[in-house]
Amino acid sequence: GHELFIADACSGFRSIVTLLALGAVYVYFQDTANWKKWAIFISVVPIAIFANIFRICLTGLIAYKWGPEKAEGFFHEFCLTVLFFITVLGLMGLTSLVCKKSQIHTN
């Protein structure tokens, strides 16, 4: 019996912009081919979108199960922070995977 709306602040646009800036700095310091740097940098967008969709779905499930007041406040902020770090770890994992594959093919 409740309606949930995604506010502009929660749309994920700010997190994508922040992650793009962080991703640009991150790939700049990677010692790999330029095309791999671009591939890693571009992958920030789908990783961030997937993480935001997951966050929105999880917030909706919590609101459905325990009520909208439980989905707001601490959980909302905590989930945003945790998913930001998970997204950064995903970017690092993708980099590790891309660099590992290139090492296998060159040896």
Side-chain angles (χ1 to χ4, degrees):
H2 296 285
E3 290 183 3
L4 294 176
F5 295 97
I6 300 171
D8 288 340
C10 296
S11 67
F13 181 73
R14 288 189 297 180
S15 62
I16 289 175
V17 171
T18 304
L19 286 167
L20 281 172
L22 183 65
V25 171
Y26 178 73
V27 297
Y28 177 79
F29 290 108
Q30 296 301 311
D31 187 26
T32 189
N34 281 336
W35 71 270
K36 291 179 186 177
K37 288 181 180 185
W38 277 104
I40 294 166
F41 176 70
I42 291 171
S43 71
V44 168
V45 174
I47 290 172
I49 289 172
F50 177 76
N52 198 54
I53 289 170
F54 179 75
R55 181 178 65 90
I56 291 168
C57 291
L58 188 60
T59 303
L61 287 173
I62 288 175
Y64 175 76
K65 182 77 173 168
W66 293 291
E69 57 280 344
K70 297 288 185 190
E72 297 172 357
F74 174 75
F75 171 77
H76 186 264
E77 295 301 319
F78 179 74
C79 188
L80 179 63
T81 304
V82 169
L83 283 178
F84 183 80
F85 285 116
I86 290 172
T87 304
V88 170
L89 290 175
L91 183 63
M92 293 170 68
L94 177 68
T95 302
S96 176
L97 184 67
V98 168
C99 292
K100 186 176 182 179
K101 281 191 170 192
S102 67
Q103 292 172 355
I104 291 172
H105 290 295
T106 59
N107 290 337

